[in-house]
Amino acid sequence: MIREGMTIREAAELWVEGFNAIPYGIVEKLLKAGGYEELNEITPPAKGDRVYVYEIPGEVTTHEGEVRSYDEETELYCIELDDGKLVSADASDFEVERDGFLPMWGTLWAFGDGIDNAWVDNEYIGNGLQAMADCGFRVYEQEDYGYIFGIDGAGYDFYEAHWIPLYKARGLHWHDPATEKEGAA
């Protein structure tokens, strides 16, 4: 459904306008009423995440490091420890370090269209959950809302850093490539 003259940013804005914005206050009421079991974080580790590795064979000076890559075939993460050593680890061998239970931005979102939720669910049409993590989103499951996601950041352009990369990862093509080429010239 390409729209003539629409830039990729305008297309991403149109897509995001269809999401359900969920203020922190609502999420906090959910947590207060049902406890932390009410909201289950399912964000997989992503490149650049700071992690703590539980057990490391051999001599190491630190257990903290950063995810460098993920090998889908072996299902192992390559982690560069702060001392420069590279280790391979299964997701159960480390913990992603987060500043809090919820992302720092004061709003979370839920998709407004079931087809977007299906994209997250369906590993055969792309790993939507991993794509969301790779685009900088923290993702939760909640019984009434389905997937809820938020951005753990502030003070920069969310469209450039998160929404446009997610629009691309989702495989949407609402923008006019000719308009993009004209803008780049």
Side-chain angles (χ1 to χ4, degrees):
M1 146 175 132
I2 293 176
R3 296 190 181 180
E4 194 172 319
M6 183 179 284
T7 66
I8 197 166
R9 183 182 183 100
E10 291 167 336
E13 288 172 354
L14 182 64
W15 182 48
V16 172
E17 283 175 14
F19 294 175
N20 300 307
I22 306 166
Y24 250 38
I26 299 295
V27 176
E28 288 170 340
K29 285 179 184 177
L30 276 171
L31 294 175
K32 190 173 185 179
Y36 282 91
E37 300 81 38
E38 187 68 26
L39 196 63
N40 181 33
E41 183 165 9
I42 58 171
T43 310
K47 183 179 178 182
D49 280 347
R50 295 287 305 161
V51 298
Y52 178 86
V53 183
Y54 301 127
E55 293 183 33
I56 305 170
E59 302 241 350
V60 295
T61 58
T62 182
H63 285 258
E64 285 92 13
E66 188 172 302
V67 174
R68 290 293 176 215
S69 62
Y70 175 69
D71 184 332
E72 288 185 32
E73 191 173 310
T74 63
E75 296 183 352
L76 293 175
Y77 292 85
C78 175
I79 298 170
E80 182 178 351
L81 299 176
D82 290 345
D83 65 4
K85 182 177 181 180
L86 294 175
V87 296
S88 292
D90 181 82
S92 63
D93 296 332
F94 64 91
E95 180 178 337
V96 176
E97 296 176 348
R98 309 261 189 223
D99 288 334
F101 181 72
L102 294 173
M104 71 171 32
W105 188 250
T107 301
L108 290 102
W109 295 270
F111 289 119
D113 192 327
I115 194 88
D116 293 316
N117 281 323
W119 170 73
V120 175
D121 281 336
N122 192 334
E123 64 188 56
Y124 300 106
I125 58 174
N127 190 341
L129 183 59
Q130 185 65 56
M132 291 188 75
D134 292 342
C135 292
F137 292 92
R138 290 181 59 191
V139 185
Y140 304 82
E141 278 184 311
Q142 200 279 331
E143 186 177 336
D144 298 318
Y145 286 100
Y147 295 112
I148 297 175
F149 48 96
I151 298 171
D152 215 0
Y156 56 90
D157 187 335
F158 284 180
Y159 275 93
E160 291 298 321
H162 303 286
W163 295 119
I164 293 172
L166 186 61
Y167 169 91
K168 290 177 180 178
R170 173 67 181 78
L172 299 176
H173 299 284
W174 300 355
H175 64 287
D176 183 352
T179 301
E180 293 297 315
K181 288 179 184 169
E182 290 169 14

